[in-house]
Amino acid sequence: MDRAARIAAHLSPSTAAAWTESITAAPADAILGINQAFKGDSDPRKVNVCVGAYRTDEGKPYVLKCVQAAQEKIAADSSKNCEYLPQRGDQEFAKLSREVIMGLDAPPIKENRVATVQTLSGTGGLRIGAAFIKAFFQGKKVFVSSPTWGTHNSILAQAGVEKGTYRYWNAAGRNLDYDGMLADINAAPAGSIMLLHACAHNPTGVDPTPAQWKGISDAIKANGHIAWFDSAYQGFASGDLDKDATAVRTFLADGHDIMASVSYAKNFGLYGERIGSFSVCCGSPQNAADVLTRLDIIIRNLYSNPPLHGMRIVKTILTDPALTQTWREEMKMMSSRINDMRIALRGELERINTPGDWSHITSQIGMFSFTGLNAAQSTAMIEKHHVYMPKNGRISMAGVTSKNVKYIAAAIKSVITN
């Protein structure tokens, strides 16, 4: 009877639940938690300038015309099936992806020595990169900008990769701390890995000039560091696919063998399809083939293999010249709307005599603007004005529209003056 009682007690619902009781709720995600609060707010004035996703001037999600056309082509092809992709993903897509970011004239492309895998968007590309570093470059520290996209930090921590920082944001001038950045690159241990935002730096919206990128390239090369680019906004930042690849292509022309994690969420509007890539420039074609086998093993043990549909959409567009041209035009349209909102927001802040210099709103680039609002002011934007934004003062310019820009500007002035 004693043994039966022990078994019964082990299987009882109350005991079965007890082993998880020590687990407490995780802190709310800095961005997604704010988005949830926005959804629960019934105030008709509410505005969401938090989440980094493109919106039309009506505040609605936008499905690119080239994406719609590609989906129609895919649906009409009866030869398509839903079989597994290899761990490394579709290699025709992989080739197209590295060519888009690196350019056809890049030495590693021309010499066929780039290992590229399909990933779960940019976050997946970063996680694969971090696992690759952990597995094969033990002891190397990855340096990220201060500030950087918050998930950079947690991805590196989850992968068990040591992190350092380099100076980037000059709060006083609301611009790039170029001298500080170079000083920290030069002070880092030789052979460190520098994680760089390829364009449209998140969260600041501040990018180095082409001349500054050249200086950064020289410093990284002189110290034997490895450049790892996070490219989430190519073509979306300036509206020009090639201009937004300036940093990456400068480094390649200078002889760097880079790594690159690429997202197609923003520039294709494929947020929910989770499509991206991770590339490593290797020493030779054989070395690239060997690296691919190692990346296969990493992927196999994380999620086994990538999804089909997002890859098919991107590949269909990039292999159809007409759809590729439509894509370029739509990126220009999305970028132009955001730039128009920068001009409108700055103009309204200045028109109503908001204290301070607001020229950084238009000198910054891409989806985000680092407004300069402090944590208390950013909190007041939510609590008093129902304008939802992170505490670091970053706003998504995609959430600004011709209908709400005056309200946002008035709210900014209110939290500054009060």
Side-chain angles (χ1 to χ4, degrees):
M1 289 296 291
D2 289 345
R3 182 170 182 272
R6 287 198 302 272
I7 292 171
H10 177 71
L11 296 176
S12 68
S14 61
T15 304
W19 69 282
T20 65
E21 286 179 354
S22 63
I23 301 173
T24 59
D29 183 273
I31 302 300
L32 301 182
I34 295 172
N35 194 44
Q36 288 300 114
F38 169 80
K39 289 179 179 179
D41 189 340
S42 60
D43 193 291
R45 300 170 298 170
K46 69 178 183 178
V47 176
N48 189 347
V49 286
C50 181
V51 177
Y54 180 78
R55 294 292 182 263
T56 66
D57 196 48
E58 290 71 42
K60 304 295 184 183
Y62 177 67
V63 181
L64 276 65
K65 292 182 177 63
C66 62
V67 168
Q68 295 179 50
Q71 289 180 310
E72 290 171 5
K73 287 183 71 172
I74 293 164
D77 186 349
S78 61
S79 70
K80 301 290 187 190
N81 58 49
C82 296
E83 293 295 300
Y84 289 123
L85 283 170
Q87 281 79 38
R88 63 189 62 182
D90 184 284
Q91 283 299 290
E92 184 181 1
F93 159 81
K95 180 176 182 292
L96 293 164
S97 181
R98 62 178 173 254
E99 289 174 351
V100 166
I101 182 68
M102 297 182 187
L104 293 173
D105 293 331
I109 295 288
K110 294 170 75 172
E111 295 161 13
N112 193 31
R113 53 183 179 86
V114 185
T116 304
V117 294
Q118 179 186 334
T119 63
L120 305 182
S121 201
T123 304
L126 289 161
R127 185 63 177 83
I128 296 300
F132 179 67
I133 292 165
K134 177 66 174 177
F136 298 104
F137 302 99
Q138 287 279 348
K140 283 193 182 292
K141 185 183 288 188
V142 174
F143 285 78
V144 302
S145 63
S146 178
T148 193
W149 180 48
T151 309
H152 282 158
N153 301 316
S154 55
I155 286 171
L156 294 172
Q158 289 285 329
V161 175
E162 189 178 359
K163 184 203 77 174
T165 60
Y166 56 82
R167 281 170 281 179
Y168 193 88
W169 171 249
N170 172 26
R174 296 179 183 176
N175 55 17
L176 178 67
D177 184 359
Y178 179 63
D179 291 340
M181 183 180 183
L182 288 186
D184 290 345
I185 289 171
N186 288 324
S192 296
I193 298 170
M194 298 292 158
L195 183 52
L196 306 163
H197 299 234
C199 66
H201 184 274
N202 179 5
T204 69
V206 172
D207 284 353
T209 65
Q212 288 172 332
W213 274 123
K214 173 60 176 168
I216 294 164
S217 169
D218 290 345
I220 288 176
K221 191 170 186 180
N223 288 279
H225 300 326
I226 300 164
W228 179 13
F229 284 96
D230 179 3
S231 178
Y233 300 97
Q234 187 187 358
F236 188 94
S238 71
D240 186 320
L241 201 64
D242 298 312
K243 182 178 179 181
D244 289 348
T246 295
V248 170
R249 295 177 188 179
T250 295
F251 274 64
L252 291 169
D254 286 347
H256 292 266
D257 283 338
I258 68 166
M259 298 187 293
S261 298
V262 173
S263 168
Y264 294 122
K266 272 73 174 182
N267 54 10
F268 279 96
L270 295 174
Y271 303 97
E273 297 295 348
R274 312 315 295 148
I275 178 65
S277 67
F278 173 67
S279 294
V280 184
C281 294
C282 303
S284 67
Q286 182 58 54
N287 183 216
D290 294 343
V291 168
L292 268 178
T293 67
R294 296 296 187 173
L295 292 171
D296 282 340
I297 299 301
I298 290 171
I299 292 167
R300 176 62 170 164
N301 290 285
L302 284 175
Y303 54 84
S304 194
N305 53 289
L308 279 165
H309 191 60
M311 176 277 296
R312 284 175 170 164
I313 292 171
V314 173
K315 187 168 80 167
T316 298
I317 292 168
L318 293 180
T319 54
D320 183 319
L323 289 182
T324 300
Q325 181 58 33
T326 300
W327 177 49
R328 286 178 175 269
E329 292 168 359
E330 290 187 281
M331 283 189 288
K332 182 65 175 176
M333 177 274 294
M334 292 188 289
S335 173
S336 295
R337 194 193 87 73
I338 287 176
N339 286 335
D340 288 345
M341 290 302 99
R342 287 185 179 279
I343 294 168
L345 180 58
R346 176 186 173 181
E348 184 62 17
L349 287 166
E350 292 173 346
R351 187 189 69 81
I352 62 176
N353 296 315
T354 308
D357 178 4
W358 297 98
S359 60
H360 62 283
I361 299 289
T362 51
S363 65
Q364 294 169 359
I365 192 172
M367 182 169 284
F368 301 111
S369 176
F370 226 36
T371 61
L373 296 183
N374 61 35
Q377 291 165 340
S378 299
T379 299
M381 289 285 285
I382 297 174
E383 294 178 350
K384 295 183 179 180
H385 302 284
H386 306 269
V387 176
Y388 286 80
M389 59 185 291
K391 289 184 178 180
N392 64 4
R394 187 198 80 172
I395 63 171
S396 171
M397 295 304 302
V400 182
T401 70
S402 60
K403 300 175 183 64
N404 66 26
V405 64
K406 290 186 176 181
Y407 179 72
I408 294 171
I412 291 173
K413 180 179 180 180
S414 174
V415 300
I416 288 173
T417 55
N418 297 314

